[in-house]
Amino acid sequence: MNRWDDIYEVSLPLPFALKAIKSYVIRGSNGFTVVDTGLSYEAAHEAWEHARKAIGFDWTDVEKIVLTHYHPDHYGMAGFLQERSQAPVFMSETDYQQAQLFFGRGSEQPDQMASFYGENGLPDEWTTQIPSHLRGFSQWVEPHPNPTFIRAGETIQLGDARYDILHTPGHADGHLSFYDGSRGLLIGGDFLLPKITPNISLWPGCDPNPLDSFLNTLEQMKPLEVKRIFPSHGPVFDHYQQRIEQLIQHHMDRLAEMKNWVMKEPLTAAEVCFRTFGKNLSVHNLRFALSETLAHLEYLRLNGQVQREKHGAHWVYYR
């Protein structure tokens, strides 16, 4: 287990491609703060028990639980840990609402997602798998927490330090990062990752131009003086500005590639997706690949670089 002064890194397993998420435990005079919780399933529960004993705290020593965003690998165990610790859970109101939209038992979002993908050219053999796949996540995020909402512009005590709360959308609409300017530390969730690019996805009922939001976030965050960033996936790193520039360039390259394809011939988002990511995908990875493709195509369309119209039952992007 890695430690930086008052911050402990806890690696929690995931039953899909990412393999692991990094949560952080911050030691303070009044107890411990947990930032992001992992998915609520047996292997992650066991990992938490091992980490808790190694660090040396009981769940009743946890004074607060803080979430960067609502995705299940971050949000999933929040309700369970809140019950164990009786600690408050802090997160953005936007992301709590989206957790209910995607993982609430009565939500129609899984069916709407299947229709959304179908309209964008995904064949029935895939769309029929979407509703049950999405509903399968509910078991990994229950019980839901009873959160206290926090927002950008405020500060929050994490351990013995005050952190500025920053809104860093793109990966999730209400994504929050936490910045200790006195030490140059950023707890960034999935905002900035050292080895992979954060997934930027277009979902029905959410930000209609998430890639634009993410690129704006990168530009706005660039001047921040960050000496060390604590990401949710991959190792702690220090090349902050360099990594921002790399991500901007990555998305510029992908936009140019997709624009080139639809300038040559009309294509559905699914066709562009399969050209970009291939067809050897699980339904889990396909969902993210197609939504990321749509985020790029809609960025191009909303910036006037390509157009879109309905050809029969499918939306087609063209010159």
Side-chain angles (χ1 to χ4, degrees):
M1 180 183 300
N2 294 319
R3 176 184 177 182
W4 294 266
D5 297 327
D6 57 335
I7 302 176
Y8 298 83
E9 177 189 271
V10 177
S11 182
L12 301 169
L14 296 170
F16 37 76
L18 279 174
K19 302 298 184 185
I21 176 179
K22 301 292 180 62
S23 294
Y24 295 96
V25 174
I26 305 174
R27 182 188 292 270
S29 302
N30 298 318
F32 292 82
T33 295
V34 172
V35 181
D36 291 334
T37 65
L39 207 63
S40 189
Y41 80 117
E42 184 177 359
H45 285 274
E46 292 174 356
W48 260 125
E49 284 305 304
H50 177 78
R52 178 186 67 76
K53 292 173 184 177
I55 295 170
F57 69 92
D58 293 322
W59 289 118
T60 52
D61 296 327
V62 173
E63 61 172 331
K64 59 170 67 78
I65 298 163
V66 181
L67 305 180
T68 58
H69 61 294
Y70 78 95
H71 291 164
D73 51 334
H74 300 254
Y75 172 92
M77 215 186 297
F80 174 81
L81 294 186
Q82 185 173 41
E83 289 183 351
R84 292 290 303 274
S85 65
Q86 296 300 300
V89 172
F90 296 92
M91 66 183 303
S92 71
E93 184 173 8
T94 295
D95 270 30
Y96 180 69
Q97 292 171 348
Q98 293 197 348
Q100 308 313 304
L101 176 66
F102 281 89
F103 312 123
R105 287 284 179 172
S107 175
E108 297 179 356
Q109 182 77 344
D111 302 295
Q112 293 173 352
M113 289 282 289
S115 297
F116 174 67
Y117 288 148
E119 287 183 339
N120 281 285
L122 192 64
D124 290 345
E125 64 194 75
W126 289 103
T127 59
T128 54
Q129 300 180 57
I130 296 296
S132 61
H133 170 70
L134 278 172
R135 290 192 171 99
F137 282 91
S138 295
Q139 62 181 323
W140 289 335
V141 302
E142 294 175 340
H144 289 268
N146 180 24
T148 299
F149 298 132
I150 53 177
R151 58 186 59 85
E154 300 174 344
T155 62
I156 188 169
Q157 189 90 15
L158 304 181
D160 292 330
R162 298 296 299 182
Y163 285 71
D164 294 322
I165 302 173
L166 307 176
H167 183 210
T168 48
H171 179 70
D173 293 0
H175 192 293
L176 300 176
S177 298
F178 304 96
Y179 176 59
D180 177 358
S182 65
R183 295 186 290 174
L185 305 183
L186 182 71
I187 300 175
D190 284 350
F191 152 63
L192 198 67
L193 305 176
K195 294 185 177 181
I196 61 174
T197 57
N199 177 258
I200 309 300
S201 283
L202 180 72
W203 312 109
C206 301
D207 185 346
N209 197 352
L211 181 56
D212 187 66
S213 297
F214 184 60
L215 293 173
N216 285 334
T217 295
L218 291 173
E219 291 292 349
Q220 290 168 10
M221 292 286 287
K222 194 187 299 183
L224 218 60
E225 294 185 8
V226 175
K227 297 177 181 178
R228 181 173 291 152
I229 183 165
F230 297 85
S232 292
H233 305 283
V236 172
F237 66 101
D238 59 8
H239 52 287
Y240 176 73
Q241 271 85 14
Q242 179 186 356
R243 188 60 182 146
I244 287 177
E245 293 294 349
Q246 289 170 348
L247 288 181
I248 291 172
Q249 188 59 52
H250 164 79
H251 287 291
M252 292 299 104
D253 292 344
R254 178 145 292 171
L255 286 166
E257 179 183 53
M258 292 185 179
K259 180 181 177 181
N260 182 56
W261 286 337
V262 300
M263 293 290 272
K264 291 179 179 178
E265 60 178 322
L267 295 169
T268 67
E271 290 170 327
V272 176
C273 173
F274 289 132
R275 289 190 182 191
T276 305
F277 297 100
K279 293 187 176 182
N280 187 26
L281 299 168
S282 66
V283 65
H284 178 82
N285 290 337
L286 174 64
R287 181 166 60 88
F288 286 106
L290 181 50
S291 290
E292 176 142 338
T293 299
L294 279 160
H296 286 76
L297 291 172
E298 281 297 285
Y299 177 92
L300 291 170
R301 184 181 73 85
L302 293 171
N303 282 279
Q305 298 183 54
V306 302
Q307 297 185 41
R308 183 188 70 164
E309 67 181 15
K310 226 27 173 331
H311 285 192
H314 300 145
W315 289 108
V316 171
Y317 292 85
Y318 66 100
R319 182 170 183 171

